[in-house]
Amino acid sequence: MARGENNVRYTQASPARAAAVYVTLTAQVLSLAALVIFELTRGRDLAVQLAAFGGRPQGADAEAVVGAVTLFAVLMMLVAGTTIAAAAAYVTWLVRARRANDRSAATGPVAAAWLIPLVNLVAPVVLVDQVWRGARPPAGRRGRWLVLLAAWWLSWLATLAMVTIRLPLGSSDVDLTGVGVPELACAAVAAVLCAATVRELAGLQRAARTTWTLESGTLRVSAHPKPEPQTQSQPQTQLQTQLQTQLQPVIPQQPQAPVQTPVQPPVQAPVQAPPQTQPQTG
């Protein structure tokens, strides 16, 4: 197999589908928005009631808050579930996107980039940029891509800082979680920019796959050219004809009987009787 055809085969993998990333990011933002709305409308009153009951309401007091507590627990599970689903969908997409550029790309670097502490603050964005460069982007789009990539990553780091640093330090007895409009806005911006980077990479890989398919077809056609008919010189053709004539067995031909045509008898003209003469009377 030719080297060029081998490279085309390695770059012919289908681009990763990003629909799961879009769906899970949307679900995460919607669940977080529902939690913020609950926090602003019912969360503070519920926190005050639970603080007054010592965290363990009993009797009629328990029946008064059991519905709100159940709804709060459901919202928290939805936020946690959609966040885990979005992370899994994005990591899966990133692995497939790397393999769309190179089928020999391993999964280990992606897992290490997201799971190792401190490394996960820089390594994921580097991997995404490598996928973008491996998708053979057109010239002149590098600056626009770096701005989009930096905006997404900074918004993601800001969201992470709000959840892991600001909320524990700023929590009080009048809030259930401390999640508010700033956290929701920052998470929504990060989700939109993340979807934009995924869309950019998916579009580049689809365009690159079309180009690679055309190159593959041209390579395969040129690898098997049509054989040209060989022209033989006249002396060689005459020699082959003489040899074939000498090698053919001589088959005696049997004499054929002459073809006799039937003789038709001559057609005789009908004999007419002589005219009769009437006797003359005097």
Side-chain angles (χ1 to χ4, degrees):
M1 184 183 298
R3 182 189 179 104
E5 186 176 355
N6 192 16
N7 293 336
V8 169
R9 287 180 179 272
Y10 271 97
T11 56
Q12 210 175 0
S14 59
R17 297 180 179 179
V21 179
Y22 302 147
V23 172
T24 52
L25 286 176
T26 303
Q28 181 190 21
V29 173
L30 291 178
S31 61
L32 186 59
L35 180 61
V36 171
I37 293 173
F38 179 84
E39 181 77 30
L40 295 177
T41 57
R42 186 72 176 89
R44 292 188 177 182
D45 296 337
L46 182 61
V48 172
Q49 291 176 355
L50 292 177
F53 300 147
R56 295 180 180 180
Q58 297 178 356
D61 297 334
E63 295 179 359
V65 297
V66 65
V69 172
T70 303
L71 180 58
F72 172 71
V74 171
L75 291 176
M76 288 296 296
M77 287 188 293
L78 283 177
V79 172
T82 54
T83 301
I84 294 174
Y90 186 85
V91 170
T92 303
W93 170 83
L94 185 57
V95 171
R96 293 179 179 177
R98 295 180 74 243
R99 289 182 178 176
N101 292 344
D102 184 6
R103 290 187 178 179
S104 62
T107 309
V110 178
W114 284 97
L115 296 178
I116 298 178
L118 299 181
V119 176
N120 54 12
L121 300 178
V122 179
V125 70
V126 174
L127 288 180
V128 174
D129 185 57
Q130 288 179 354
V131 174
W132 186 86
R133 286 187 282 110
R136 306 196 322 191
R141 298 179 63 174
R142 178 68 175 170
R144 174 178 174 272
W145 163 252
L146 289 178
V147 171
L148 177 62
L149 189 65
W152 163 60
W153 194 246
L154 290 176
S155 62
W156 160 248
L157 292 179
T159 305
L160 189 64
M162 286 185 177
V163 173
T164 58
I165 300 175
R166 178 180 176 275
L167 290 182
L169 295 179
S171 61
S172 62
D173 295 336
V174 296
D175 293 327
L176 290 175
T177 61
V179 178
V181 176
E183 290 78 14
L184 175 62
C186 197
V189 171
V192 171
L193 293 177
C194 179
T197 58
V198 171
R199 183 174 179 272
E200 173 76 11
L201 289 174
L204 287 177
Q205 288 186 339
R206 279 194 299 267
R209 176 175 170 77
T210 303
T211 304
W212 289 330
T213 303
L214 294 176
E215 291 179 357
S216 176
T218 305
L219 237 159
R220 291 177 182 177
V221 170
S222 61
H224 303 283
K226 294 183 179 180
E228 297 181 356
Q230 298 180 357
T231 57
Q232 298 179 351
S233 60
Q234 185 175 2
Q236 185 176 1
T237 305
Q238 293 179 354
L239 180 60
Q240 291 181 356
T241 305
Q242 293 178 0
L243 290 176
Q244 291 178 359
T245 304
Q246 294 176 2
L247 293 176
Q248 288 179 355
V250 180
I251 301 175
Q253 298 182 356
Q254 297 180 359
Q256 297 180 355
V259 179
Q260 297 181 357
T261 58
V263 180
Q264 297 180 357
V267 179
Q268 297 180 358
V271 179
Q272 296 181 357
Q276 296 180 2
T277 57
Q278 296 291 336
Q280 297 180 358
T281 58

